[in-house]
Amino acid sequence: MPTKTPRVSVLTPIYNTNPVHLRECIESILNQTYTDFEFLILNDSPDNKEIEKIVLEYASRDKRIKYSKNDKNMGISISRNKLLQMARGEYLAIFDHDDISIPTRLEQEVNYLDEHPYIGAVSSWVQEMFDDGTILMLKHPEKDMDIRIWLMRNNYFAHTACMLRKSVLDENNIHYQGYYSPAEDYKLVSDLIEVTELYNIQEALVKYRCSPENTSNKQSEKMCYVADCITTELRNKYPEYWKLCIKTGVYQETTFRLRLFGKIPLIKIKNNWVYLFEFIPVLKIRWN
């Protein structure tokens, strides 16, 4: 008897993931109020037997988990594209390997896409969790036009919280591009706005873990460079959104970095927060 096709495919690449964080990640999906999904976990660190054992342990108890691994380390973009190809669901829920989805995440996103067929992708706010216990709410603009305007500045469509219509990707040949790694998610979103509309649910559906081990922190210099390249492409391609970005004051928020000897991360100021070592929030400020 053929296996019933799930409505949602949850896509999670893992790479030398902290075992505790991996368990929290997996359990947050298995405990969702929405249950019609497959959970595709792709291991891009095939020699790491500890995390493989953890995934197989959960897979033995829940058949919705489909585990696979690369023969060798292939990198995040190739791994994400392999997951896109493997997915059978109508909707694709992107989820990073050390984050936590709140129990109603999938249910809320599926309901929104069902009720708004012209929306090709939905995301949400996220809670940023820091190693010292600090929690920050990262709020993103709600409606499509506002998201487009904010994209002229940076990516304000949380990748780890988003759900995509698979048909939109397939019909428009949209996929992850390794050339833009480690900001391949930002590039994917910038490609989406040419073919569909976006929406951000105005509450946090995912808890995002901020630590020195995050790719965004370990490769912060490259991340900033690639993100700047993408914003330049967007501003040239969509000058009307860029003008609105400036006119509405979106671009007035300040990002500042101070590095010791020009290399060692020391201080970052972004979205009115001062970050020590570029990832530990220590002070909120107000610009006059």
Side-chain angles (χ1 to χ4, degrees), residues 234-251:
L234 283 169
R235 293 167 189 176
N236 289 332
K237 188 172 185 178
Y238 302 104
E240 68 279 15
Y241 297 148
W242 175 224
K243 290 178 183 177
L244 286 171
C245 183
I246 297 173
K247 183 177 180 180
T248 56
V250 168
Y251 193 62

Side-chain angles (χ1 to χ4, degrees), residues 12-20 22-23 26 41-61 65-72 97:
T12 300
I14 63 177
Y15 176 76
N16 291 331
T17 312
N18 180 306
V20 174
L22 179 59
R23 287 185 181 275
I26 293 173
I41 301 177
L42 174 62
N43 188 356
D44 194 33
S45 51
D47 295 331
N48 191 324
K49 301 303 181 184
E50 182 179 11
I51 62 173
E52 178 176 66
K53 182 178 179 181
I54 290 173
V55 178
L56 292 176
E57 172 192 327
Y58 282 100
S60 68
R61 303 198 302 263
I65 295 179
K66 311 297 181 186
Y67 173 73
S68 60
K69 62 181 178 180
N70 292 329
D71 294 333
K72 61 180 181 179
H97 63 162

Side-chain angles (χ1 to χ4, degrees), residues 39 49 60 105 115-116 118 143 210 217 224 244 270:
F39 190 5
K49 301 303 181 184
S60 68
R105 176 205 166 173
E115 294 167 6
H116 302 85
Y118 57 90
K143 301 295 180 63
C210 296
N217 286 319
C224 293
L244 286 171
K270 183 177 181 180

Side-chain angles (χ1 to χ4, degrees), residues 199-218:
Y199 181 80
N200 275 318
I201 294 172
Q202 298 294 281
E203 64 177 282
L205 300 184
V206 167
K207 298 177 181 180
Y208 171 77
R209 203 178 301 275
C210 296
S211 77
E213 298 306 310
N214 281 88
T215 299
S216 56
N217 286 319
K218 294 174 73 174

Side-chain angles (χ1 to χ4, degrees), residues 73-261:
N73 175 246
M74 302 297 291
I76 188 61
S77 295
I78 290 177
S79 296
R80 290 195 190 282
N81 284 329
K82 287 182 69 172
L83 286 167
L84 292 181
Q85 294 169 2
M86 294 163 56
R88 298 182 296 141
E90 175 184 357
Y91 299 148
L92 309 177
I94 309 301
F95 192 43
D96 290 341
H97 63 162
D98 54 358
D99 296 336
I100 299 172
S101 287
I102 72 163
T104 61
R105 176 205 166 173
L106 297 184
E107 180 180 5
Q108 290 192 57
E109 292 178 339
V110 167
N111 288 344
Y112 193 86
L113 290 177
D114 282 349
E115 294 167 6
H116 302 85
Y118 57 90
I119 297 291
V122 61
S123 188
S124 71
W125 296 351
V126 297
Q127 282 188 354
E128 292 186 319
M129 305 183 299
F130 293 84
D131 290 346
D132 65 354
T134 301
I135 296 179
L136 298 180
M137 183 71 74
L138 189 59
K139 298 182 179 182
H140 290 158
E142 180 179 9
K143 301 295 180 63
D144 179 70
M145 179 56 72
D146 291 325
I147 295 171
R148 290 168 184 260
I149 292 172
W150 280 79
L151 284 173
M152 300 299 111
R153 182 174 180 271
N154 210 322
N155 188 7
Y156 290 88
F157 195 75
H159 187 247
T160 189
C162 79
M163 182 177 286
L164 313 163
R165 291 186 191 274
K166 190 173 189 297
S167 59
V168 171
L169 300 185
D170 292 344
E171 292 167 8
N172 296 282
N173 193 29
I174 293 176
H175 55 274
Y176 296 97
Q177 300 181 50
Y179 177 79
Y180 293 91
S181 181
E184 72 284 341
D185 56 333
Y186 186 11
K187 176 58 178 174
L188 184 85
V189 175
S190 72
D191 289 341
L192 283 172
I193 64 173
E194 186 173 355
V195 299
T196 191
E197 295 187 22
L198 310 178
Y199 181 80
N200 275 318
I201 294 172
Q202 298 294 281
E203 64 177 282
L205 300 184
V206 167
K207 298 177 181 180
Y208 171 77
R209 203 178 301 275
C210 296
S211 77
E213 298 306 310
N214 281 88
T215 299
S216 56
N217 286 319
K218 294 174 73 174
Q219 301 185 45
S220 60
E221 187 171 346
K222 184 178 180 182
M223 175 79 78
C224 293
Y225 172 77
V226 177
D228 286 346
C229 291
I230 296 171
T231 55
T232 299
E233 290 179 4
L234 283 169
R235 293 167 189 176
N236 289 332
K237 188 172 185 178
Y238 302 104
E240 68 279 15
Y241 297 148
W242 175 224
K243 290 178 183 177
L244 286 171
C245 183
I246 297 173
K247 183 177 180 180
T248 56
V250 168
Y251 193 62
Q252 291 180 1
E253 291 193 54
T254 303
T255 299
F256 168 80
R257 285 181 172 82
L258 176 63
R259 298 191 173 203
L260 196 60
F261 308 120

